[in-house]
Amino acid sequence: MSHQTFMQLSGVGLNKGPAAILSDISFVLQPGELVMLVGPNGAGKSTLLSILAGLSPPSSGSLTIQGSAVDDWPREQWARHITLVPQLSQMGFPLTVREVVELGGLAHSQSVVALRDATQKAIRDWDIEYLAEQEVRLLSGGEQQRTQLARSWIQVHQPDSGLWLLDEPLSALDLKHQRQCLQRVQQLKQEGKAVVMVVHDLNLALRYADRVLMLCCGELIADGDAATVLTAERVSDVFQVETVLNESGLNWL
């Protein structure tokens, strides 16, 4: 990855009927950057990820990737550059874990042998080898989440992939696998890829994020390093919970 801006949003908005879901969102993403997206329920976080993934065209404003407008990118090329793990991934077919993980390599040209090897490595990396031949729909929430993370891991590790979008990836994971996921995120950063991650744990953002974007009521109200964005005063105001900041992080009163 080069050090040029990977993606830029300028005045992006999204309407559903007369309602504005997002309004005037502007920021840039750089390669090798971990951006954590925070805000109360209904703030527009998942909707913003959907726009970044190219799934929801904005109603206003512009979005460019590596200097080119969205409309200039063929869909298959966009799919190779950006990988999304949504909050919920409901399977409509009785696929095994191995089959789901293998789907992550289909957007890229690979031999059968290369795809098989990449699938096995992702299954091993995400600690789901013992589940490989089980049907995904029969697994626990955390096991399904790790399966989807493994699927996306194949895709985001391709040479022409540059952005990993994660919508609350830790919500169903136990402590061991939360730590594993964060280690994988750090690994991607070191490889020069950008990561945008929705989190509800603000102390996690304080510890790990290079930048924090805070949304409220569909508007981007703060963008900067975690210590600047996540002040006790702002968190108290936005989340409507009295908050203090001390050595242990943000704490609710």
Side-chain angles (χ1 to χ4, degrees), residues 80 104-112 114-115 158-160:
R80 288 196 292 268
L106 296 184
H108 302 267
S109 298
Q110 299 185 76
S111 69
V112 173
L115 180 57
Q158 301 302 316
D160 51 356

Side-chain angles (χ1 to χ4, degrees), residues 19-230:
I21 308 302
L22 292 174
S23 301
D24 195 26
I25 306 292
S26 299
F27 61 88
V28 298
L29 294 176
Q30 304 289 353
E33 182 176 46
L34 171 57
V35 176
M36 289 194 174
L37 193 57
V38 303
N41 293 338
K45 303 182 296 295
S46 295
T47 301
L48 180 54
L49 281 196
S50 182
I51 289 175
L52 297 179
L55 300 178
S56 300
S59 305
S60 58
S62 64
L63 187 156
T64 62
I65 179 169
Q66 295 182 336
S68 298
V70 174
D71 292 342
D72 296 336
W73 285 82
R75 295 299 299 176
E76 64 274 11
Q77 195 171 359
W78 185 276
R80 288 196 292 268
H81 271 68
I82 299 173
T83 306
L84 170 67
V85 180
Q87 282 186 51
L88 298 173
S89 299
Q90 296 182 346
M91 300 301 301
F93 303 96
L95 299 178
T96 66
V97 166
R98 186 180 304 280
E99 289 168 334
V100 170
V101 174
E102 193 172 78
L103 292 174
L106 296 184
H108 302 267
S109 298
Q110 299 185 76
S111 69
V112 173
V113 172
L115 180 57
R116 183 190 62 202
D117 291 347
T119 299
Q120 186 57 37
K121 184 177 187 305
I123 286 172
R124 184 172 60 251
D125 286 347
W126 288 93
D127 193 23
I128 51 176
E129 286 180 288
Y130 67 102
L131 300 170
E133 308 311 325
Q134 294 192 35
E135 184 185 333
V136 171
R137 295 184 301 182
L138 303 180
L139 304 181
S140 72
E143 290 167 338
Q144 290 190 40
Q145 183 79 328
R146 278 152 54 207
T147 299
Q148 294 300 331
L149 286 163
R151 173 195 57 77
S152 71
W153 192 240
I154 293 181
Q155 186 173 351
V156 79
H157 257 105
Q158 301 302 316
D160 51 356
S161 179
L163 176 60
W164 203 21
L165 303 173
L166 302 168
D167 196 351
E168 297 187 46
L170 307 180
S171 60
L173 302 184
D174 59 27
L175 288 175
K176 173 185 174 182
H177 294 108
Q178 286 182 23
R179 180 172 178 267
Q180 181 188 62
C181 184
L182 290 167
Q183 289 173 333
R184 300 282 183 261
V185 166
Q186 295 294 325
Q187 178 182 339
L188 275 190
K189 274 184 52 181
Q190 293 171 2
E191 294 173 8
K193 301 189 180 187
V195 182
V196 178
M197 181 175 174
V198 175
V199 297
H200 280 296
D201 185 342
L202 302 185
N203 286 315
L204 197 72
L206 276 172
R207 181 176 180 182
Y208 289 100
D210 297 317
R211 279 170 62 206
V212 173
L213 305 181
M214 182 179 283
L215 291 179
C216 187
C217 301
E219 297 183 356
L220 180 60
I221 61 171
D223 175 5
D225 64 83
T228 301
V229 171
L230 297 175

